[in-house]
Amino acid sequence: MLHLRVIAPVDRSSEIVDLLTTEAGVTHLAVLPGAARQPQGDLILCDVVRESADGVLRSLQQLGVEARGGIAAEDVELTISASADRAAEKAPGSGADAVVWDEIAAKTGEQTELSGTYLVLIVVATMIAGIGVLLDQPILIVGAMVVGPEFGPLAALCVALLRRRLDVIGRSVQALTGGFLAAMVATVLSTWALTAAGLVTEEMLLAERPLTDFIWRPDALSWVVGLLAGVAGMLSLTSKKSGSLVGVLISVTTVPAAANVAVAAAYGVWDEAGGSALQLVINLSAIVLAGLLTLLVQQAWWWNLARRTRRPATG
């Protein structure tokens, strides 16, 4: 359930209240006339079940609330109310499967910034993976996958492609390319430094590495894993199942592939660097493709559900 706080222009307040009153998924409606000061207007509070939230938000935006007032939404972790139970029963669909598109767009949009924290995380993750590659240690590879922040821009890219947001697409691509380039350059430098210190050698890269050689030997299964990870990752994001996202992060070889590109390039082993680069491209492409297709299916599902129940289409 979401809690909505709406600042409504006075001349549209009654229309907004009528909309919320007739919506089956809305409950706990309260109206405070003239309570809002900046911007001025009536303050309207209500709770809405997640399966109705997207339609309600879309209707409020169609009334121009965001232009002259404002809409804020936050999750309600606990609701003890018979009225809320009735609202959930009346609303079509399941709250666990509901997609609130504005929420997803806001959440992923925050992850497209090429910030200092993002750069540090992806650089550290890639350097850890680089050491894991040389030591043939899957534990380090898994740790690097979890630390890597690249799924945020990937998810944002999927949402932006669906919603045709060119600005977000540009920022997402910039975060991905800039982040991976910075991480690979840093890993090349760290590999040279570790080699100079006598901690790693080129022979470690050229030796048999049965536990991690999949990183630079892509095959058809690389596409399969990337596609499945894209589906699982997007579902974990849209359904707020963050625990599932950890499993997604340790199932694809984006950061490890970038690390292997850097380590192999540091030693001039270009065939291995090329294989790792191909693995990276395959995984990134598969995740974006599967994520976009997942969003399209979810959009079609909720659009059909809204149409059958005579409610505004979502998406």
Side-chain angles (χ1 to χ4, degrees), residues 49-259:
V49 295
R50 291 191 64 85
E51 48 267 51
S52 296
D54 194 66
V56 170
L57 291 173
R58 178 61 58 85
S59 297
L60 289 173
Q61 291 176 68
Q62 290 174 347
L63 291 175
V65 175
E66 79 282 4
R68 298 172 54 201
I71 307 169
E74 58 185 354
D75 279 309
V76 178
E77 298 296 335
L78 175 64
T79 302
I80 303 175
S81 166
S83 177
D85 293 339
R86 288 192 295 271
E89 292 173 359
K90 293 178 182 178
S94 169
D97 297 328
V99 180
V100 184
W101 295 103
D102 287 314
E103 179 186 48
I104 299 303
K107 183 187 302 182
T108 56
E110 295 172 355
Q111 302 181 57
T112 61
E113 184 180 354
L114 195 61
S115 63
T117 300
Y118 172 83
L119 285 173
V120 169
L121 284 175
I122 197 167
V123 166
V124 168
T126 308
M127 292 172 67
I128 292 173
I131 296 174
V133 163
L134 291 171
L135 296 177
D136 196 32
Q137 282 292 338
I139 292 178
L140 294 177
I141 299 299
V142 170
M145 290 175 175
V146 174
V147 173
E150 75 282 2
F151 187 77
L154 285 171
L157 180 58
C158 295
V159 176
L161 288 170
L162 180 72
R163 297 168 69 93
R164 299 180 181 88
R165 291 288 306 276
L166 296 180
D167 56 332
V168 180
I169 291 174
R171 292 201 305 271
S172 301
V173 172
Q174 182 183 39
L176 288 168
T177 55
F180 276 115
L181 286 175
M184 286 189 282
V185 169
T187 303
V188 168
L189 296 176
S190 68
T191 301
W192 286 342
L194 292 173
T195 302
L199 298 177
V200 298
T201 64
E202 183 179 353
E203 286 70 28
M204 296 171 68
L205 180 71
L206 298 176
E208 289 293 325
R209 291 175 286 135
L211 299 180
T212 58
D213 64 353
F214 67 93
I215 294 173
W216 60 279
R217 290 177 175 169
D219 53 22
L221 287 178
S222 300
W223 272 104
V224 173
V225 172
L227 291 170
L228 294 175
V231 172
M234 196 53 62
L235 286 176
S236 69
L237 181 67
T238 57
S239 64
K240 303 178 73 65
K241 301 293 184 182
S242 58
S244 303
L245 188 54
V246 175
V248 175
L249 296 176
I250 63 177
S251 66
V252 291
T253 55
T254 49
V255 164

